[in-house]
Amino acid sequence: MVSTIFSIPGYRIYDLLYNGSRTLVYRGYRETDSLPVVIKLLKNPALHNKV
């Protein structure tokens, strides 16, 4: 189980698959039907859009 600082209603996140310079990719499942999912998040989009 991964300790995360976010939650997405209806989903359980249990594994960090990738930790890149700009993104995080997690494995989890949808709670309503246990469908496996992969969730990709930007680490901090505001910092990457500065010119």
Side-chain angles (χ1 to χ4, degrees):
M1 179 80 115
V2 171
S3 175
T4 59
I5 58 170
F6 66 92
S7 65
I8 300 172
Y11 292 87
R12 278 290 170 201
I13 296 167
Y14 62 84
D15 195 17
L16 176 64
L17 297 176
Y18 176 76
N19 184 353
S21 62
R22 299 173 89 173
T23 60
L24 297 165
V25 179
Y26 292 94
R27 176 180 302 159
Y29 63 90
R30 188 167 54 192
E31 293 175 332
T32 56
D33 58 4
S34 298
L35 183 74
V37 296
V38 173
I39 299 170
K40 183 175 183 179
L41 301 172
L42 292 175
K43 284 187 174 179
N44 192 339
L47 293 177
H48 299 295
N49 292 330
K50 291 185 178 182
V51 180

